């Protein structure tokens, strides 16, 4: 029995399962190592036993899968930053400000108020440490952008990254935690720059900036320049919100995120240019492979080594090696090996949405495209070209559909129309951008000519995508979708793919069963939400927001003039599968489950005979809280996000002295009335 030929796909799946289990359960390191050692001993025994058997059995296979799971636990545990003895969290003495030294590692996508960076911690209170934190810098004219390699000395305390303060909202804290980032530092007047460290990140960013600056001679519009930077260098930090939304609504946002599509184009382009090397025989083919892989990894470095870029380059590197060894057809093991290698180096990639979407799309294309293409094959080459574009887009969309519904809760119906034109346009644009980039440094006049063509391509592509995205009715948004439904929808897709390859009775039954199971799960989920009722004070700026849910109806109390544009309302409705929504003005008194809620707003007027169970303070009322407590005798006091921070701090201290529970939504998130 040749046990070393055990399939890589299940090994990779169990390895990934070990990583996920280790992340959420965080078992003790000694227990993990002991478990892995015991499994390894059993694996050695199973290996020797399997080689002695004439007829193979499943014992070795099962043991190998368990060992893969155990290795996933080990790798995740080793890479979990807080378990490192030198991690900065082990050197923080108390909640007082610390003397922190760090090096800027990477600029992130900013929000409306702050620039964001990753900061590698070098020392805390002059003690050598490791770890990475989120760094935020307010946007104003006094602050210039920081750059990779900038050394900062900060006098501050590590603050937890703010979690989601309302139900069913994206948690930036959880997202950062999955990148081994647990705290943040906010820069204002609490830091100084202390030179620059000329490290790998510095040189990479400097080269990337030099390449981007070479396009300034073309005088592109900001919209065109930002798309070029996204296509060529993977830099989307300054992308215009409107353009980003257009690409999303048209179902072609993958064009702006360097992924398998871009790397595949570059792979094919490099292979075409280096084809003459094949005339030199085996040595020429090897040289061609080396040049292609080097070119792809150089591109990955320039684009910042993001998860999607690294994944794609690793996969196409294996594809290149497979072609060189005449094993290009074994694409499934190629995909599995690339996943396994990436997760060994960085196990947290498994939680990256881009990583998941990329592999789902690639796998779906490999599985479904040949079947779709064969079914629609024509004798005309031109039709086959568009047929391939359409079937690739459909296959990829099927592969990412469950994840798209789960993460983004929307589905663009015009994705096929957009992709048929945008994929060839973006391919020509990417190759033209590469040629223009090279000419920018060696032949300015020729660069201006190709640059003009590039401007026409990008402008035309942006215009077409904007036109497609303008059909708002063809973008289904705010689709409620749970993790269970996501998993079950993938079981339908897998069953469907198996049925396409062999339409047998058993596979037909399996497909119908998965569809029925999905329907049962969906109906059960909706019914579960329909039978619940609650009243919540949500964390909402500018205007107070209270929601009362009864079965499948939600009543929102707010004075917001545009309530349906409120993302907190949208998230709550979507997360609860709610069909009926009512908006009412905020009242001074509310009742729920025998609890009386009294609202005191900016007017500071209240009925001294109200005797509420819950006192809600909104819009920073100028009231003497001690007197109000004495007169009203509430059981709990709640302050929402419409109040000044100084007021909240004063009220919190008053409640502490009066021994009354105090809940500030800015600190604890939404308040649920029991």
């Amino acid at each position: 029995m040749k046990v070393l030929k055990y399939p890589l796909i299940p090994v990779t799946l169990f390895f990934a399962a070990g990583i996920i289990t280790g992340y959420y359960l965080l078992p003790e390191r000694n227990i993990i190592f002991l478990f892995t050692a015991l499994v390894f001993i059993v694996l050695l025994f199973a290996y020797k036993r399997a080689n002695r058997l004439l007829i193979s059995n499943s014992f070795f296979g099962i043991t190998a899968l368990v060992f893969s799971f155990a290795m996933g636990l080990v790798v995740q545990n080793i890479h979990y930053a807080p378990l490192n003895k030198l991690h900065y969290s082990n050197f923080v003495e108390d909640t007082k400000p610390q003397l922190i030294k760090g090096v800027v590692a990477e600029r992130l996508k900013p929000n409306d108020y702050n620039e964001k960076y990753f900061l590698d911690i070098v020392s805390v209170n002059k003690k050598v440490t490791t770890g990475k934190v989120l760094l935020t810098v307010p946007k104003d004219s006094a602050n210039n952008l920081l750059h990779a390699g900038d050394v900062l000395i900060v006098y501050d305390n590590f603050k937890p990254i703010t979690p989601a303060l309302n139900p069913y909202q994206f948690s930036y804290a959880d997202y950062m935690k999955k990148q081994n980032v647990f705290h943040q530092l906010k820069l204002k007047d609490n830091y100084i720059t202390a030179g620059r460290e000329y490290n790998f990140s510095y040189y990479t960013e400097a080269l990337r900036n030099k390449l981007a600056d070479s396009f300034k001679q073309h005088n592109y519009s900001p919209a065109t320049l930002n798309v070029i930077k996204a296509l060529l260098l993977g830099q989307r930090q300054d992308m215009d919100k409107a353009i980003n939304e257009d690409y999303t609504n048209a179902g072609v946002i993958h064009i702006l995120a360097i992924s398998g599509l871009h790397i595949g184009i570059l792979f094919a382009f490099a292979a075409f240019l280096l084809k003459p090397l094949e005339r030199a025989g085996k040595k020429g083919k090897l040289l061609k492979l080396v040049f292609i892989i080097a070119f792809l990894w150089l591109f990955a470095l320039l684009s910042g080594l993001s998860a999607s870029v690294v994944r794609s380059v690793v996969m196409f590197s294996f594809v290149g090696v497979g072609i060189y060894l005449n094993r290009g057809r074994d694409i499934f093991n190629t995909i599995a090996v690339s996943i396994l290698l990436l997760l060994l180096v960085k196990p947290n990639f498994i939680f990256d949405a881009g990583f998941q979407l990329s592999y789902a799309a690639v796998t779906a294309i490999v599985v479904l495209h040949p079947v779709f293409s064969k079914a629609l094959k024509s004798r005309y080459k031109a039709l086959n070209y568009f047929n391939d574009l359409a079937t690739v887009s459909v296959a990829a969309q099927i592969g990412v559909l469950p994840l798209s519904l789960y993460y983004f809760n929307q589905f663009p119906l015009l994705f096929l129309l957009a992709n048929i034109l945008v994929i060839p346009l973006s391919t020509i644009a990417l190759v033209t951008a590469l040629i223009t980039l090279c000419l920018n440094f060696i032949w300015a006049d020729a660069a201006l000519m190709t640059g003009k063509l590039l401007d026409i391509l990008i402008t035309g592509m942006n215009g077409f995508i904007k036109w497609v995205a303008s059909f708002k009715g063809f973008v289904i948004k705010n689709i409620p979708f749970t993790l269970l439904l996501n998993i079950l929808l993938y079981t339908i897709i897998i069953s469907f793919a198996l049925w396409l390859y062999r339409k047998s009775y058993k596979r037909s039954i399996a497909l119908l069963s998965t569809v029925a199971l999905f329907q049962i799960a969906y109906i059960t989920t909706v019914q579960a939400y329909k039978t619940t009722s609650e009243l919540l004070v949500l964390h909402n700026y500018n205007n107070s927001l209270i929601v009362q849910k009864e079965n499948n109806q939600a009543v929102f109390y707010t004075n917001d003039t545009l309530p349906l544009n409120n993302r907190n309302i949208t998230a709550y409705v979507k997360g609860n599968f709610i069909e009926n929504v009512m908006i009412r003005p905020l009242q001074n008194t509310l009742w729920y489950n025998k609890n009386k809620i009294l609202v005191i707003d900016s007017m500071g007027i209240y009925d001294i005979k109200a005797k509420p169970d819950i006192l809600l303070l909104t819009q920073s009322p100028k009231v003497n809280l001690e007197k109000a407590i004495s007169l009203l005798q509430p059981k709990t006091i709640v302050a929402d996000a419409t109040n000044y921070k100084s007021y909240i701090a004063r009220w919190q201290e008053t409640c502490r002295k009066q021994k009354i529970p105090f809940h500030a939504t800015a600190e604890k998130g939404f308040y649920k009335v029991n």
Side-chain angles (χ1 to χ4, degrees):
M1 177 183 176
K2 297 180 179 180
V3 295
L4 293 179
K5 289 189 175 182
Y6 194 77
L8 286 169
I9 296 172
V11 168
T12 303
L13 291 175
F14 272 77
F15 183 79
I19 292 172
I20 296 171
T21 303
Y23 175 84
Y24 285 106
L25 296 184
L26 277 179
E28 291 289 336
R29 176 167 292 183
N30 292 336
I31 295 175
I32 292 175
F33 285 179
L34 178 61
F35 172 67
T36 305
L38 291 174
V39 175
F40 181 69
I41 293 171
V42 176
L43 182 65
L44 290 177
F45 169 75
Y47 174 79
K48 292 181 178 180
R49 180 174 178 271
N51 280 325
R52 291 197 302 267
L53 293 176
L54 295 176
I55 302 175
S56 62
N57 59 26
S58 58
F59 180 61
F60 174 80
I62 294 173
T63 308
L65 294 180
V66 175
F67 182 70
S68 299
F69 177 83
M71 286 304 300
L73 292 173
V74 170
V75 169
Q76 191 282 328
N77 192 270
I78 291 173
H79 283 83
Y80 189 66
L83 296 180
N84 188 330
K85 293 182 180 179
L86 292 179
H87 192 258
Y88 67 85
S89 60
N90 298 318
F91 292 83
V92 177
E93 298 172 358
D94 47 39
T95 57
K96 294 180 180 179
Q98 315 287 317
L99 188 64
I100 304 162
K101 183 178 181 182
V103 181
V104 176
E106 178 185 354
R107 183 186 173 212
L108 307 175
K109 188 174 180 63
N111 58 24
D112 293 336
Y113 309 103
N114 298 295
E115 289 288 342
K116 297 181 181 181
Y117 305 86
F118 278 145
L119 184 74
D120 289 330
I121 303 300
V122 175
S123 66
V124 174
N125 297 325
K126 298 184 178 180
K127 296 177 182 178
V128 176
T129 61
T130 61
K132 183 185 293 184
V133 299
L134 175 66
L135 190 69
T136 61
V137 186
K139 284 184 175 179
D140 58 58
S141 57
N143 287 303
N144 296 319
L145 289 177
L146 298 174
H147 300 282
D150 286 350
V151 179
L152 305 178
I153 296 178
V154 185
Y155 186 66
D156 200 358
N157 56 334
F158 294 100
K159 300 178 181 67
I161 299 173
T162 305
L165 297 175
N166 286 314
Y168 312 109
Q169 284 190 333
F170 170 73
S171 175
Y172 195 62
D174 289 343
Y175 171 74
M176 281 291 156
K177 182 182 177 183
K178 289 171 181 174
Q179 299 188 56
N180 262 331
V181 178
F182 302 89
H183 295 89
Q184 64 179 333
L185 295 172
K186 297 183 178 181
L187 298 190
K188 200 168 185 182
D189 300 320
N190 58 344
Y191 77 102
I192 60 171
T193 56
R196 180 166 291 161
E197 185 176 300
Y198 297 95
N199 53 20
F200 178 79
S201 297
Y202 167 80
Y203 287 111
T204 301
E205 184 182 289
L207 178 58
R208 192 163 55 238
N209 289 339
K210 186 175 182 179
L211 297 178
D213 290 342
S214 72
F215 286 97
K216 288 182 177 179
Q217 61 182 304
H218 300 276
N219 296 317
Y220 291 134
S221 66
T224 299
L225 184 59
N226 286 332
V227 171
I228 292 172
K229 288 165 68 175
L231 275 174
L232 198 58
L233 302 173
Q235 301 302 294
R236 296 173 57 191
Q237 292 91 334
D238 300 313
M239 182 64 63
D240 183 79
K241 281 186 176 181
I243 293 179
N244 200 73
E245 186 176 349
D246 286 342
Y247 275 73
T248 301
N249 291 338
V252 292
I253 190 62
H254 57 276
I255 298 297
L256 297 181
I258 295 179
S259 59
L261 173 65
H262 300 75
I263 304 303
I265 293 170
L266 295 176
F267 182 90
F269 180 62
F272 173 75
L273 292 179
L274 297 172
K275 193 173 181 62
L277 289 175
E278 295 181 3
R279 298 173 185 172
K282 193 172 182 179
K283 289 184 179 179
K285 290 181 179 179
L286 179 60
L287 193 60
K288 175 186 174 183
L289 172 65
V290 171
F291 281 151
I292 289 175
I293 292 177
F295 171 67
L296 294 181
W297 279 105
L298 175 62
F299 184 81
L301 288 174
L302 296 179
S303 62
L305 292 174
S306 66
S308 60
V309 177
V310 171
R311 183 272 312 162
S312 301
V313 172
V314 167
M315 188 179 69
F316 277 98
S317 296
F318 276 101
V319 168
V321 173
I323 292 173
Y324 173 75
L325 297 174
N326 294 320
R327 296 177 182 175
R329 295 182 179 180
D330 195 8
I331 187 64
F332 293 106
N333 275 335
T334 298
I335 293 172
V337 169
S338 65
I339 294 175
L340 189 60
L341 180 62
L342 287 171
L343 295 182
L344 279 168
V345 176
K346 192 171 181 180
N348 281 1
F349 269 173
I350 193 68
F351 302 110
D352 188 280
F355 180 90
Q356 297 169 14
L357 289 165
S358 295
Y359 271 108
V362 169
T363 304
I365 290 171
V366 170
V367 174
L368 298 176
H369 171 251
V371 181
F372 293 162
S373 181
K374 185 178 179 180
L376 300 174
K377 193 170 184 179
S378 170
R379 60 180 178 175
Y380 301 106
K381 290 185 178 180
L383 287 178
N384 284 332
Y385 171 75
F386 287 104
N387 165 45
D388 284 340
L389 280 177
T391 52
V392 165
S393 297
V394 170
Q397 200 69 38
I398 290 174
V400 303
L401 177 60
L403 287 172
S404 297
L405 294 176
Y406 179 65
Y407 285 121
F408 311 119
N409 303 107
Q410 70 175 41
F411 181 71
L413 295 175
L414 296 178
F415 75 91
L416 187 58
L417 171 64
N419 277 280
I420 286 177
L421 187 60
V422 169
I423 289 178
L425 266 179
S426 63
T427 301
I428 299 170
L430 180 57
V431 173
T432 306
L434 275 172
I435 295 172
T436 304
L437 177 62
C438 296
L439 293 175
N440 284 341
F441 294 95
I442 59 177
W443 192 0
D445 292 337
L448 291 175
M449 294 176 62
T450 58
K452 185 64 177 176
L453 174 61
L454 180 60
D455 189 17
I456 294 171
L457 289 169
I458 298 295
T459 303
M461 186 168 68
N462 287 347
F464 174 72
I465 290 172
K466 184 176 182 180
W467 175 74
V468 173
S470 66
F471 296 94
K472 304 293 185 182
F474 288 91
V475 182
I476 305 174
K477 294 186 176 182
N478 302 320
I479 303 171
F481 213 70
T482 65
L483 178 60
L484 175 61
L485 296 178
N486 174 40
I487 295 170
L488 291 177
L489 186 53
Y490 267 119
T491 63
I492 293 177
I493 293 172
I494 293 169
S495 299
F496 174 66
L498 292 172
W499 179 82
L500 281 177
Y501 275 87
R502 194 173 70 201
K503 299 178 178 67
S504 66
Y505 174 77
K506 289 183 178 179
R507 295 192 178 191
S508 299
I509 294 299
L511 175 58
L512 293 174
S513 299
T514 56
V515 172
L517 186 61
F518 177 84
Q519 291 176 326
I520 292 170
Y522 184 84
I523 293 170
T524 304
T525 302
V526 173
Q527 284 299 122
Y529 281 104
K530 281 185 177 180
T531 57
T532 60
S533 63
E534 61 185 8
L535 187 142
L536 307 178
V537 178
L538 298 179
H539 179 75
N540 189 71
Y541 296 103
N542 299 326
N543 291 282
S544 298
L545 181 60
I546 299 174
V547 57
Q548 183 173 353
K549 178 182 177 295
E550 292 291 343
N551 300 325
N552 201 34
Q553 176 178 286
V555 180
F556 291 91
Y557 297 95
T558 181
N559 294 324
D560 192 346
T561 55
L562 296 171
L564 295 181
N565 294 333
N566 189 306
R567 63 179 184 177
N568 295 325
I569 293 178
T570 302
Y572 187 84
V573 170
K574 175 184 64 184
N576 279 285
F577 293 76
I578 290 173
E579 296 177 1
N580 302 315
V581 176
M582 298 179 64
I583 307 294
R584 292 179 180 173
L586 183 63
Q587 303 172 15
N588 290 329
T589 305
L590 295 170
W591 288 88
Y592 177 75
N593 198 21
K594 298 182 180 180
N595 287 295
K596 186 178 182 180
I597 303 145
L598 177 65
V599 180
I600 301 181
D601 57 20
S602 59
M603 300 294 291
I605 300 172
Y606 57 91
D607 181 3
I608 61 174
K609 299 179 181 179
K611 305 299 180 184
D613 297 285
I614 299 168
L615 178 61
L616 175 60
L617 304 172
T618 71
Q619 302 293 336
S620 304
K622 296 179 180 179
V623 296
N624 184 326
L625 189 57
E626 289 186 6
K627 182 178 179 181
I629 292 172
S630 176
L631 293 172
L632 300 173
Q633 298 178 354
K635 297 177 182 177
T636 302
I637 294 178
V638 179
D640 66 13
T642 63
N643 298 290
Y644 296 132
K645 291 182 180 179
S646 58
Y647 282 38
I648 293 174
R650 187 172 69 245
W651 294 335
Q652 187 171 24
E653 180 61 22
T654 299
C655 289
R656 186 188 65 81
K657 292 179 179 178
Q658 297 288 330
K659 297 182 179 180
I660 293 179
F662 179 79
H663 184 106
T665 62
E667 178 185 350
K668 300 178 181 179
F670 68 93
Y671 178 77
K672 183 175 182 178
V673 179
N674 295 318

